[in-house]
Short mmCIF file of all heavy atoms in Angstrom, two decimals:
data_model
loop_
_atom_site.label_atom_id
_atom_site.label_comp_id
_atom_site.label_asym_id
_atom_site.label_seq_id
_atom_site.Cartn_x
_atom_site.Cartn_y
_atom_site.Cartn_z
N ALA A 435 122.53 154.72 65.03
CA ALA A 435 123.89 154.19 65.19
C ALA A 435 124.82 155.20 64.57
O ALA A 435 124.50 155.79 63.53
CB ALA A 435 124.02 152.86 64.47
N THR A 436 125.94 155.45 65.21
CA THR A 436 126.95 156.29 64.57
C THR A 436 128.23 155.46 64.44
O THR A 436 128.42 154.49 65.19
CB THR A 436 127.22 157.61 65.37
OG1 THR A 436 127.92 157.31 66.57
CG2 THR A 436 125.93 158.34 65.68
N PRO A 437 129.05 155.80 63.45
CA PRO A 437 130.24 154.96 63.19
C PRO A 437 131.10 154.77 64.45
O PRO A 437 131.09 155.59 65.35
CB PRO A 437 131.00 155.76 62.13
CG PRO A 437 129.95 156.56 61.43
CD PRO A 437 128.96 156.92 62.50
N GLY A 438 131.83 153.68 64.48
CA GLY A 438 132.75 153.44 65.59
C GLY A 438 132.13 152.69 66.75
O GLY A 438 132.83 152.37 67.72
N GLY A 439 130.82 152.40 66.72
CA GLY A 439 130.23 151.54 67.75
C GLY A 439 129.23 152.18 68.69
O GLY A 439 128.95 151.62 69.75
N TYR A 440 128.71 153.36 68.36
CA TYR A 440 127.74 154.04 69.26
C TYR A 440 126.30 153.70 68.83
O TYR A 440 125.93 153.93 67.69
CB TYR A 440 127.93 155.55 69.21
CG TYR A 440 129.32 156.01 69.61
CD1 TYR A 440 130.34 156.11 68.66
CD2 TYR A 440 129.61 156.35 70.93
CE1 TYR A 440 131.61 156.53 69.02
CE2 TYR A 440 130.88 156.77 71.30
CZ TYR A 440 131.87 156.87 70.34
OH TYR A 440 133.13 157.28 70.70
N VAL A 441 125.51 153.17 69.78
CA VAL A 441 124.13 152.77 69.47
C VAL A 441 123.18 153.43 70.48
O VAL A 441 123.44 153.41 71.69
CB VAL A 441 123.98 151.23 69.53
CG1 VAL A 441 122.55 150.82 69.22
CG2 VAL A 441 124.94 150.56 68.54
N PHE A 442 122.09 153.99 69.95
CA PHE A 442 121.11 154.70 70.79
C PHE A 442 119.72 154.16 70.55
O PHE A 442 119.36 153.84 69.41
CB PHE A 442 121.10 156.19 70.45
CG PHE A 442 122.46 156.85 70.51
CD1 PHE A 442 123.32 156.78 69.43
CD2 PHE A 442 122.86 157.52 71.65
CE1 PHE A 442 124.57 157.38 69.48
CE2 PHE A 442 124.11 158.12 71.71
CZ PHE A 442 124.97 158.05 70.62
N VAL A 443 118.93 154.15 71.61
CA VAL A 443 117.52 153.80 71.47
C VAL A 443 116.75 154.71 72.43
O VAL A 443 117.23 155.00 73.54
CB VAL A 443 117.31 152.29 71.75
CG1 VAL A 443 117.76 151.88 73.14
CG2 VAL A 443 115.89 151.86 71.51
N SER A 444 115.62 155.23 71.97
CA SER A 444 114.90 156.19 72.82
C SER A 444 113.98 155.47 73.81
O SER A 444 113.54 154.34 73.57
CB SER A 444 114.08 157.15 71.95
OG SER A 444 112.95 156.48 71.43
N VAL A 445 113.68 156.18 74.88
CA VAL A 445 112.79 155.60 75.89
C VAL A 445 111.39 155.42 75.29
O VAL A 445 110.68 154.47 75.63
CB VAL A 445 112.80 156.45 77.19
CG1 VAL A 445 112.13 157.81 76.97
CG2 VAL A 445 112.17 155.72 78.35
N GLY A 446 111.03 156.31 74.35
CA GLY A 446 109.73 156.19 73.68
C GLY A 446 109.64 154.89 72.89
O GLY A 446 108.59 154.24 72.86
N LEU A 447 110.72 154.53 72.24
CA LEU A 447 110.73 153.28 71.48
C LEU A 447 110.66 152.07 72.43
O LEU A 447 109.91 151.12 72.19
CB LEU A 447 111.99 153.20 70.61
CG LEU A 447 112.08 152.04 69.61
CD1 LEU A 447 112.88 152.45 68.38
CD2 LEU A 447 112.70 150.78 70.20
N LEU A 448 111.41 152.14 73.52
CA LEU A 448 111.42 151.02 74.48
C LEU A 448 110.02 150.77 75.05
O LEU A 448 109.65 149.64 75.33
CB LEU A 448 112.41 151.29 75.62
CG LEU A 448 113.89 151.31 75.22
CD1 LEU A 448 114.76 151.70 76.42
CD2 LEU A 448 114.35 149.97 74.67
N ARG A 449 109.25 151.84 75.18
CA ARG A 449 107.88 151.71 75.71
C ARG A 449 106.97 150.93 74.75
O ARG A 449 105.97 150.38 75.17
CB ARG A 449 107.27 153.09 75.97
CG ARG A 449 107.85 153.76 77.18
CD ARG A 449 106.97 154.90 77.70
NE ARG A 449 107.58 155.41 78.92
CZ ARG A 449 108.16 156.61 79.04
NH1 ARG A 449 108.15 157.44 78.03
NH2 ARG A 449 108.72 156.97 80.17
N MET A 450 107.32 150.93 73.48
CA MET A 450 106.48 150.25 72.49
C MET A 450 106.80 148.76 72.37
O MET A 450 106.00 148.00 71.81
CB MET A 450 106.70 150.89 71.11
CG MET A 450 106.32 152.34 71.05
SD MET A 450 106.86 153.07 69.51
CE MET A 450 105.43 152.81 68.57
N LEU A 451 107.97 148.35 72.84
CA LEU A 451 108.38 146.95 72.65
C LEU A 451 107.65 145.99 73.59
O LEU A 451 107.27 146.37 74.69
CB LEU A 451 109.89 146.81 72.86
CG LEU A 451 110.79 147.64 71.94
CD1 LEU A 451 112.26 147.42 72.30
CD2 LEU A 451 110.57 147.27 70.48
N GLN A 452 107.48 144.78 73.11
CA GLN A 452 106.77 143.76 73.90
C GLN A 452 107.69 142.67 74.43
O GLN A 452 107.32 141.93 75.33
CB GLN A 452 105.69 143.10 73.02
CG GLN A 452 104.65 144.08 72.53
CD GLN A 452 103.90 143.56 71.32
OE1 GLN A 452 104.44 142.81 70.52
NE2 GLN A 452 102.63 143.94 71.20
N ASN A 453 108.83 142.53 73.83
CA ASN A 453 109.74 141.45 74.28
C ASN A 453 111.19 141.76 73.91
O ASN A 453 111.47 142.71 73.16
CB ASN A 453 109.29 140.10 73.71
CG ASN A 453 109.21 140.10 72.20
OD1 ASN A 453 110.16 140.48 71.53
ND2 ASN A 453 108.06 139.70 71.66
N GLU A 454 112.08 140.93 74.43
CA GLU A 454 113.52 141.15 74.23
C GLU A 454 113.94 140.85 72.79
O GLU A 454 114.90 141.44 72.30
CB GLU A 454 114.29 140.26 75.22
CG GLU A 454 115.72 140.70 75.45
CD GLU A 454 116.37 139.88 76.56
OE1 GLU A 454 115.94 140.00 77.73
OE2 GLU A 454 117.30 139.11 76.26
N ALA A 455 113.22 139.95 72.13
CA ALA A 455 113.56 139.63 70.73
C ALA A 455 113.37 140.86 69.84
O ALA A 455 114.15 141.09 68.91
CB ALA A 455 112.71 138.47 70.24
N GLN A 456 112.33 141.65 70.14
CA GLN A 456 112.11 142.89 69.37
C GLN A 456 113.24 143.89 69.64
O GLN A 456 113.74 144.53 68.71
CB GLN A 456 110.76 143.51 69.73
CG GLN A 456 109.58 142.68 69.24
CD GLN A 456 108.23 143.18 69.75
OE1 GLN A 456 108.14 144.20 70.42
NE2 GLN A 456 107.18 142.45 69.44
N LEU A 457 113.64 143.99 70.89
CA LEU A 457 114.76 144.87 71.24
C LEU A 457 116.04 144.41 70.52
O LEU A 457 116.78 145.23 69.95
CB LEU A 457 114.98 144.89 72.76
CG LEU A 457 116.19 145.66 73.28
CD1 LEU A 457 116.12 147.14 72.90
CD2 LEU A 457 116.31 145.52 74.79
N ALA A 458 116.28 143.09 70.53
CA ALA A 458 117.46 142.55 69.86
C ALA A 458 117.42 142.84 68.36
O ALA A 458 118.45 143.14 67.75
CB ALA A 458 117.55 141.05 70.11
N GLY A 459 116.22 142.79 67.76
CA GLY A 459 116.08 143.09 66.33
C GLY A 459 116.40 144.54 66.02
O GLY A 459 117.11 144.85 65.07
N VAL A 460 115.89 145.45 66.87
CA VAL A 460 116.16 146.89 66.67
C VAL A 460 117.66 147.18 66.85
O VAL A 460 118.28 147.84 66.01
CB VAL A 460 115.33 147.74 67.67
CG1 VAL A 460 115.76 149.20 67.63
CG2 VAL A 460 113.84 147.62 67.36
N LEU A 461 118.23 146.65 67.92
CA LEU A 461 119.67 146.88 68.16
C LEU A 461 120.50 146.21 67.07
O LEU A 461 121.52 146.75 66.63
CB LEU A 461 120.07 146.36 69.55
CG LEU A 461 119.43 147.09 70.75
CD1 LEU A 461 119.84 146.43 72.06
CD2 LEU A 461 119.80 148.57 70.77
N GLY A 462 120.05 145.03 66.63
CA GLY A 462 120.74 144.33 65.54
C GLY A 462 120.79 145.17 64.27
O GLY A 462 121.82 145.24 63.60
N HIS A 463 119.66 145.84 63.96
CA HIS A 463 119.60 146.72 62.78
C HIS A 463 120.66 147.83 62.91
O HIS A 463 121.40 148.11 61.97
CB HIS A 463 118.19 147.32 62.67
CG HIS A 463 118.05 148.38 61.61
ND1 HIS A 463 117.57 148.12 60.36
CD2 HIS A 463 118.34 149.71 61.65
CE1 HIS A 463 117.56 149.24 59.65
NE2 HIS A 463 118.02 150.23 60.41
N GLU A 464 120.72 148.43 64.08
CA GLU A 464 121.69 149.53 64.28
C GLU A 464 123.13 149.00 64.25
O GLU A 464 124.02 149.64 63.68
CB GLU A 464 121.40 150.24 65.62
CG GLU A 464 120.02 150.89 65.70
CD GLU A 464 119.72 151.85 64.56
OE1 GLU A 464 120.65 152.46 64.03
OE2 GLU A 464 118.53 151.96 64.18
N ILE A 465 123.34 147.86 64.87
CA ILE A 465 124.69 147.27 64.87
C ILE A 465 125.12 146.95 63.43
O ILE A 465 126.28 147.14 63.05
CB ILE A 465 124.74 146.03 65.79
CG1 ILE A 465 124.66 146.48 67.26
CG2 ILE A 465 126.00 145.19 65.56
CD1 ILE A 465 124.34 145.37 68.25
N ALA A 466 124.17 146.49 62.62
CA ALA A 466 124.50 146.15 61.22
C ALA A 466 124.96 147.39 60.46
O ALA A 466 125.83 147.30 59.58
CB ALA A 466 123.29 145.53 60.54
N HIS A 467 124.41 148.57 60.78
CA HIS A 467 124.89 149.80 60.13
C HIS A 467 126.37 150.01 60.45
O HIS A 467 127.13 150.48 59.61
CB HIS A 467 124.10 151.02 60.64
CG HIS A 467 122.76 151.20 59.98
ND1 HIS A 467 122.56 151.12 58.62
CD2 HIS A 467 121.53 151.48 60.52
CE1 HIS A 467 121.28 151.34 58.34
NE2 HIS A 467 120.63 151.55 59.47
N ILE A 468 126.75 149.65 61.68
CA ILE A 468 128.15 149.84 62.09
C ILE A 468 129.04 148.76 61.48
O ILE A 468 130.11 149.04 60.94
CB ILE A 468 128.28 149.84 63.63
CG1 ILE A 468 127.52 151.05 64.21
CG2 ILE A 468 129.74 149.87 64.07
CD1 ILE A 468 127.30 151.00 65.70
N THR A 469 128.59 147.50 61.54
CA THR A 469 129.44 146.41 61.02
C THR A 469 129.67 146.58 59.52
O THR A 469 130.73 146.24 59.02
CB THR A 469 128.82 145.02 61.27
OG1 THR A 469 127.56 144.92 60.59
CG2 THR A 469 128.60 144.75 62.74
N HIS A 470 128.67 147.09 58.81
CA HIS A 470 128.81 147.25 57.37
C HIS A 470 129.23 148.66 56.96
O HIS A 470 129.26 148.98 55.76
CB HIS A 470 127.52 146.84 56.66
CG HIS A 470 127.36 145.34 56.65
ND1 HIS A 470 126.94 144.64 57.76
CD2 HIS A 470 127.62 144.44 55.69
CE1 HIS A 470 126.94 143.36 57.45
NE2 HIS A 470 127.34 143.20 56.22
N LYS A 471 129.54 149.49 57.96
CA LYS A 471 130.08 150.83 57.72
C LYS A 471 129.23 151.62 56.72
O LYS A 471 129.75 152.25 55.79
CB LYS A 471 131.54 150.74 57.24
CG LYS A 471 132.44 149.99 58.22
CD LYS A 471 133.88 149.99 57.78
CE LYS A 471 134.76 149.25 58.77
NZ LYS A 471 136.17 149.20 58.42
N HIS A 472 127.91 151.57 56.91
CA HIS A 472 127.01 152.21 55.96
C HIS A 472 127.20 153.73 55.88
O HIS A 472 127.21 154.30 54.79
CB HIS A 472 125.55 151.89 56.34
CG HIS A 472 125.16 150.49 55.99
ND1 HIS A 472 124.09 149.83 56.57
CD2 HIS A 472 125.70 149.60 55.11
CE1 HIS A 472 124.00 148.61 56.06
NE2 HIS A 472 124.96 148.45 55.18
N ALA A 473 127.33 154.38 57.03
CA ALA A 473 127.48 155.84 57.02
C ALA A 473 128.80 156.23 56.35
O ALA A 473 128.86 157.21 55.60
CB ALA A 473 127.43 156.39 58.44
N LEU A 474 129.84 155.43 56.60
CA LEU A 474 131.14 155.75 56.01
C LEU A 474 131.14 155.52 54.50
O LEU A 474 131.72 156.29 53.74
CB LEU A 474 132.25 154.91 56.66
CG LEU A 474 132.46 155.11 58.17
CD1 LEU A 474 133.60 154.25 58.67
CD2 LEU A 474 132.73 156.57 58.49
N GLN A 475 130.46 154.47 54.09
CA GLN A 475 130.33 154.21 52.64
C GLN A 475 129.65 155.40 51.96
O GLN A 475 130.07 155.85 50.90
CB GLN A 475 129.42 152.99 52.40
CG GLN A 475 130.09 151.65 52.55
CD GLN A 475 129.08 150.54 52.24
OE1 GLN A 475 128.29 150.63 51.31
NE2 GLN A 475 129.10 149.47 53.03
N THR A 476 128.59 155.89 52.61
CA THR A 476 127.84 157.02 52.05
C THR A 476 128.71 158.27 52.02
O THR A 476 128.71 159.01 51.04
CB THR A 476 126.57 157.27 52.90
OG1 THR A 476 125.87 156.02 53.01
CG2 THR A 476 125.66 158.30 52.27
N LEU A 477 129.47 158.45 53.08
CA LEU A 477 130.37 159.60 53.16
C LEU A 477 131.41 159.56 52.04
O LEU A 477 131.67 160.57 51.38
CB LEU A 477 131.07 159.59 54.53
CG LEU A 477 132.10 160.67 54.80
CD1 LEU A 477 131.44 162.03 54.92
CD2 LEU A 477 132.87 160.37 56.08
N GLN A 478 131.96 158.39 51.82
CA GLN A 478 133.00 158.26 50.80
C GLN A 478 132.47 158.48 49.38
O GLN A 478 133.21 158.81 48.48
CB GLN A 478 133.68 156.90 50.92
CG GLN A 478 134.64 156.85 52.10
CD GLN A 478 135.23 155.49 52.31
OE1 GLN A 478 134.53 154.52 52.60
NE2 GLN A 478 136.53 155.38 52.19
N ARG A 479 131.15 158.27 49.25
CA ARG A 479 130.56 158.47 47.91
C ARG A 479 129.99 159.88 47.73
O ARG A 479 129.51 160.22 46.67
CB ARG A 479 129.44 157.44 47.69
CG ARG A 479 129.96 156.04 47.50
CD ARG A 479 128.90 155.17 46.87
NE ARG A 479 127.76 154.99 47.71
CZ ARG A 479 127.42 153.83 48.28
NH1 ARG A 479 128.14 152.76 48.07
NH2 ARG A 479 126.36 153.74 49.03
N SER A 480 130.06 160.64 48.82
CA SER A 480 129.44 161.97 48.77
C SER A 480 130.11 162.88 47.75
O SER A 480 131.33 163.06 47.77
CB SER A 480 129.51 162.61 50.17
OG SER A 480 129.16 163.96 50.07
N LYS A 481 129.30 163.47 46.91
CA LYS A 481 129.85 164.38 45.88
C LYS A 481 130.32 165.68 46.53
O LYS A 481 131.21 166.35 46.02
CB LYS A 481 128.78 164.65 44.82
CG LYS A 481 128.56 163.44 43.92
CD LYS A 481 127.79 163.83 42.67
CE LYS A 481 127.84 162.74 41.62
NZ LYS A 481 127.21 161.49 42.03
N ARG A 482 129.72 166.00 47.68
CA ARG A 482 130.11 167.25 48.34
C ARG A 482 131.54 167.18 48.87
O ARG A 482 132.17 168.18 49.13
CB ARG A 482 129.18 167.53 49.53
CG ARG A 482 127.78 167.86 49.09
CD ARG A 482 126.96 168.21 50.29
NE ARG A 482 125.57 167.88 50.06
CZ ARG A 482 124.59 168.19 50.85
NH1 ARG A 482 124.83 168.83 51.96
NH2 ARG A 482 123.35 167.86 50.58
N LEU A 483 132.00 165.95 49.12
CA LEU A 483 133.36 165.81 49.64
C LEU A 483 134.32 165.31 48.56
O LEU A 483 135.40 164.85 48.86
CB LEU A 483 133.36 164.84 50.83
CG LEU A 483 132.55 165.31 52.05
CD1 LEU A 483 132.50 164.23 53.10
CD2 LEU A 483 133.14 166.58 52.64
N SER A 484 133.88 165.38 47.31
CA SER A 484 134.76 164.90 46.24
C SER A 484 136.00 165.77 46.17
O SER A 484 135.96 166.96 46.47
CB SER A 484 134.01 164.91 44.91
OG SER A 484 133.68 166.23 44.58
N GLY A 485 137.08 165.16 45.79
CA GLY A 485 138.34 165.90 45.73
C GLY A 485 139.22 165.60 46.92
O GLY A 485 140.42 165.82 46.88
#
Side-chain angles (χ1 to χ4, degrees):
Chain A
T436 72
Y440 301 88
V441 180
F442 306 84
V443 59
S444 74
V445 69
L447 188 149
L448 293 176
R449 286 198 177 111
M450 298 170 92
L451 300 179
Q452 298 161 329
N453 56 52
E454 199 173 294
Q456 291 172 4
L457 174 61
V460 171
L461 295 177
H463 173 97
E464 299 306 330
I465 289 165
H467 279 314
I468 296 167
T469 62
H470 286 77
K471 302 184 180 180
H472 285 160
L474 299 182
Q475 279 181 41
T476 308
L477 177 68
Q478 284 175 297
R479 289 198 295 248
S480 169
K481 287 195 166 64
R482 292 183 209 188
L483 296 174
S484 63

